[in-house]
C-alpha cells in the first residue's frame, strides 16, 4: 500500500458513520460492565451478611 491509499482509507473511515455506532456500542458496553461490577462490590457485603444470618437461623445459631 502506498501512502496515498493509506491516507484515503483513513479519510473514508473517519467519514463513515457506521464506525461511530460501533464505538458507541463499545462505550455503552464498557459503562454497563463498570456499573455491574460496582453493584457487586457495593452490595457484596450486605448480601454476604444476609446469607450468613439466614444460614445461622436455619442451622439453629451455629456459625456458618
Amino acid at each position: 500500500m502506498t501512502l496515498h491509499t493509506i491516507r484515503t482509507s483513513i479519510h473514508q473511515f473517519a467519514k463513515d458513520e457506521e464506525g461511530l455506532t460501533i464505538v458507541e456500542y463499545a462505550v455503552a458496553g464498557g459503562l454497563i460492565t463498570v456499573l455491574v461490577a460496582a453493584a457487586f462490590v457495593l452490595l457484596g457485603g450486605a448480601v454476604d451478611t444476609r446469607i450468613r444470618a439466614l444460614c445461622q437461623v436455619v442451622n439453629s445459631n451455629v456459625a456458618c
Side-chain angles (χ1 to χ4, degrees):
M1 289 180 75
T2 65
L3 184 59
H4 178 69
T5 57
I6 293 172
R7 198 177 292 168
T8 303
S9 297
I10 291 172
H11 285 289
Q12 287 176 347
F13 178 75
K15 291 180 182 180
D16 186 16
E17 292 185 16
E18 289 184 27
L20 293 177
T21 57
I22 292 171
V23 171
E24 290 168 354
Y25 282 124
V27 169
L31 289 175
I32 290 170
T33 302
V34 167
L35 290 174
V36 169
F40 278 122
V41 169
L42 293 174
L43 297 175
V47 172
D48 182 54
T49 302
R50 295 281 178 124
I51 290 174
R52 288 184 189 274
L54 181 62
C55 181
Q56 285 181 350
V57 169
V58 171
N59 290 330
S60 301
N61 288 329
V62 176
C64 297

